[in-house]
Amino acid sequence: MRIETRGLTFDVTEGGPPGGPPVILLHGFPQNRGSWAGVTAHLNAAGLRTFAIDQRGYSPGARPSGVDAYRQAECVADAAAFVDELAGGRADVVGHDFGALVGWQLAAAHPDRVRSLTAVSVPHPAAFAQAVFTDPDQQRRSSYIQLFLMVGKAEAVLTSDDGARLRTMLDGVGDAAPLLEPGALTPALNWYRALAIEELAKVGPVERPTTFVWGDRDTAVGLVAASTAGEHVTGDYRFLPLPGVDHWVPERQPEVLAQAILARIADAS
């Protein structure tokens, strides 16, 4: 299905029984709504109505030009609109990677729209920013971003040799083909180019019931950032580290993640 909101058209995969409690799922880079397929199968079986959305830059009908169109404020406003359009103004929210960053900010800025939050792989924005500022290990882990900031060069590196580097990045966890389509990669990279770490540091606390799931073999997010996320949550908080799991939690451990989501939703009742 597709929804039109904020002057853009977004592609959505819906599942589960009509009338079931709504869950909004937000993906990250370099994936799309298909990354949630293994998770939503379990959520739908439990009676939840799921909406996995190709976010701004990923839906062909939602690719505004210019880096500023991909600022976090715009992406969060999209997520608020998703909740309004698809869930009647209130939903359980799940996000991975950039989708987690958006979910945290949505819960902080619009707690009325978020019944519960399950964030995956990326911690509260202020915790992540503080780690980037002060933790040498996190600085090393985040150094890959420098390539993505190079307009033209990043696109050339990721698409050369039939997208070999992008395909390697997604090996076993996703399909590179959508981002290799004409006009697709630059909008996705613009999320990085519009990202201001200083703004992430200003994101306020989350009062909604929250679970943060993180794989301890995540190469992009280290222990310092992950372990301090709870300092920015005033509501009920759970930190679920997964031993031996990398960044791609929804694909590597869909059942474990689904159970964590279901537990969070149940306890938010």
Side-chain angles (χ1 to χ4, degrees):
M1 66 176 289
R2 292 190 175 100
I3 62 167
E4 294 187 12
T5 186
R6 307 193 70 228
L8 303 172
T9 302
F10 296 88
D11 296 329
V12 182
T13 297
E14 57 182 330
V23 181
I24 301 293
L25 299 111
L26 306 171
H27 68 87
F29 179 88
Q31 298 166 294
N32 53 45
R33 70 190 192 276
S35 64
W36 295 110
V39 176
T40 55
H42 297 285
L43 301 184
N44 297 156
L48 300 180
R49 182 71 166 168
T50 57
F51 300 95
I53 304 138
D54 277 352
Q55 296 199 78
R56 173 178 295 248
Y58 293 83
S59 290
R63 290 176 179 159
S65 60
V67 171
D68 282 350
Y70 297 87
R71 292 180 297 112
Q72 285 290 288
E74 295 292 342
C75 302
V76 174
D78 289 344
F82 299 154
V83 173
D84 292 345
E85 294 285 337
L86 296 169
R90 185 171 169 84
D92 295 288
V93 176
V94 182
H96 174 250
D97 189 80
F98 263 119
L101 274 187
V102 171
W104 285 108
Q105 292 171 87
L106 179 68
H110 303 283
D112 56 315
R113 286 183 167 93
V114 179
R115 185 175 173 276
S116 75
L117 172 67
T118 302
V120 189
S121 298
V122 173
H124 187 283
F128 180 73
Q130 183 65 18
V132 170
F133 290 145
T134 64
D135 177 32
D137 175 64
Q138 185 57 54
Q139 292 165 2
R140 287 190 294 270
R141 292 171 185 268
S142 298
S143 62
Y144 72 92
I145 295 174
Q146 294 305 311
L147 170 63
F148 294 168
L149 299 181
M150 299 178 184
V151 178
K153 181 175 181 179
E155 284 86 344
V157 169
L158 293 174
T159 60
S160 65
D161 193 19
D162 193 31
R165 188 159 179 175
L166 193 59
R167 294 179 191 280
T168 297
M169 191 184 306
L170 285 168
D171 186 32
V173 297
D175 181 9
L179 279 190
L180 293 173
E181 294 177 359
L185 184 55
T186 293
L189 289 170
N190 279 345
W191 282 64
Y192 287 96
R193 294 163 182 167
L195 189 66
I197 299 298
E198 296 80 4
E199 292 301 314
L200 296 184
K202 298 175 184 177
V203 176
V206 170
E207 66 181 53
R208 304 307 303 146
T210 299
T211 294
F212 175 46
V213 184
W214 170 76
D216 70 0
R217 292 191 179 178
D218 194 316
T219 59
V221 177
L223 179 61
V224 169
S227 63
T228 56
E231 298 174 9
H232 303 274
V233 182
T234 59
D236 182 58
Y237 177 71
R238 295 174 191 162
F239 176 37
L240 180 60
L242 301 179
V245 179
D246 63 12
H247 186 73
W248 314 107
V249 176
E251 297 86 357
R252 304 290 195 203
Q253 296 289 329
E255 184 172 3
V256 170
L257 178 54
Q259 291 304 316
I261 296 167
L262 289 169
R264 170 44 67 202
I265 290 173
D267 290 347
S269 299

